[in-house]
């Protein structure tokens, strides 16, 4: 009974991930089509970048889910959280001047 419930939750999870990806593409395409056309002369430039980001994210999801052991992640969680905080701080601090939104 529990295994059947887990299978239903897994299927529901995959459906919602697919819906979120589709909704993200919809938002990116509707919000950036005119700006992409104006700046890059290609209205699908941002959508293509979003697609590349989604594919990289799905590859990382597969890598983390199937190759890295969950116990290893839990054991090193404080180091991972600290490293992610430093990376995000660096993106917020230097993102506008180094390959950021204001470079275009």
């Amino acid at each position: 009974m529990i295994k059947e419930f887990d299978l239903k939750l897994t299927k529901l999870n995959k459906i919602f991930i697919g819906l979120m990806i589709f909704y993200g593409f919809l938002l990116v395409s509707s919000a950036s089509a005119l700006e992409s056309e104006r700046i890059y002369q290609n209205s699908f430039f941002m959508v293509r970048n979003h697609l590349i980001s989604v594919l990289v994210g799905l590859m990382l999801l597969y890598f983390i889910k199937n190759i890295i052991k969950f116990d290893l992640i839990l054991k090193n969680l404080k180091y991972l959280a600290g490293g992610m905080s430093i990376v995000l701080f660096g993106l917020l601090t230097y993102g506008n001047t180094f390959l950021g939104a204001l470079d275009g």
Side-chain angles (χ1 to χ4, degrees), residues 7-74:
L7 290 175
K8 287 182 182 179
L9 282 180
T10 302
K11 185 177 180 180
L12 189 63
N13 191 16
K14 289 178 182 179
I15 290 171
F16 277 110
I17 288 173
L19 286 174
M20 287 175 57
I21 290 172
F22 174 74
Y23 187 65
F25 278 119
L26 185 68
L27 288 177
V28 167
S29 65
S30 68
S32 64
L34 292 175
E35 277 299 303
S36 295
E37 180 67 35
R38 184 179 67 81
I39 295 172
Y40 304 107
Q41 288 75 40
N42 182 2
S43 61
F44 289 102
F45 181 81
M46 295 294 182
V47 175
R48 188 190 71 207
N49 285 349
H50 187 70
L51 176 66
I52 292 169
S53 300
V54 166
L55 291 177
V56 168
L58 288 174
M59 287 188 293
L60 284 173
L61 172 70
Y62 174 79
F63 177 75
I64 290 171
K65 185 177 176 188
N66 293 327
I67 296 174
I68 298 177
K69 302 295 180 212
F70 189 68
D71 295 336
L72 181 66
I73 294 174
L74 285 180

Side-chain angles (χ1 to χ4, degrees), residues 84-98:
M84 288 177 9
S85 298
I86 291 170
V87 167
L88 288 174
F89 178 75
L91 287 175
L92 289 174
T93 306
Y94 300 110
N96 286 338
T97 57
F98 181 71

